[in-house]
Amino acid sequence: MPKAFGFVPPGYRSVSLPVSGHQTLFLESGDRIDMLVTFEAVTGAGKEMVTATILQNVLVSRVIRPDTATGGGVVQLLLNPNEAQYAALSLAQGKTINLVRRAPGDFEMRPMELASLRKLIK
């Protein structure tokens, strides 16, 4: 956990993600999150919107809340260099980014499949 504002441990990068204001309401420094990205993918069935868990068990170092829930906020994450690249790619290519808070003590990495409405409606 960061010892002071701006502290970045060796080997990590501090990445600031712009997110909707409502996503900042229940996040605090020290929380662990997963990052889900929704984007258009080409699958065997054609183009469709999918959601993928891009990053898991990421430490939140800072949360900047907007003045209103409809404004934009910023969540600063501590990422290794590889994760930082995926976060940047997600910002550039993703339609939406959702940060989901993990339960305290839940550090397990899980294999995740792409979520799509086509799979859900089968």
Side-chain angles (χ1 to χ4, degrees):
M1 184 150 140
K3 295 180 182 182
F5 170 69
F7 175 77
V8 179
Y12 283 81
R13 308 296 183 261
S14 179
V15 176
S16 297
L17 294 178
V19 296
S20 58
H22 71 273
Q23 288 195 66
T24 65
L25 293 177
F26 301 102
L27 288 177
E28 299 291 337
S29 296
D31 283 346
R32 294 272 175 177
I33 59 101
D34 291 349
M35 186 171 96
L36 284 62
V37 179
T38 300
F39 57 96
E40 186 174 68
V42 178
T43 65
K47 288 184 180 181
E48 65 178 311
M49 294 301 289
V50 298
T51 298
T53 301
I54 302 298
L55 301 174
Q56 293 186 45
N57 193 31
V58 172
L59 182 64
V60 174
S61 64
R62 186 164 188 225
V63 179
I64 301 170
R65 292 177 180 82
D67 293 333
T68 65
T70 58
V74 177
V75 176
Q76 196 169 44
L77 305 174
L78 287 180
L79 304 174
N80 68 40
N82 193 48
E83 292 170 330
Q85 290 184 124
Y86 280 110
L89 179 63
S90 297
L91 279 173
Q93 295 293 314
K95 179 176 173 150
T96 59
I97 292 177
N98 288 286
L99 304 179
V100 295
R101 196 172 83 178
R102 287 177 158 243
D106 179 7
F107 305 113
E108 186 177 341
M109 304 290 272
R110 295 175 177 88
M112 303 292 292
E113 65 178 34
L114 287 178
S116 73
L117 288 177
R118 188 167 291 152
K119 286 181 185 177
L120 181 66
I121 297 174
K122 277 187 179 181

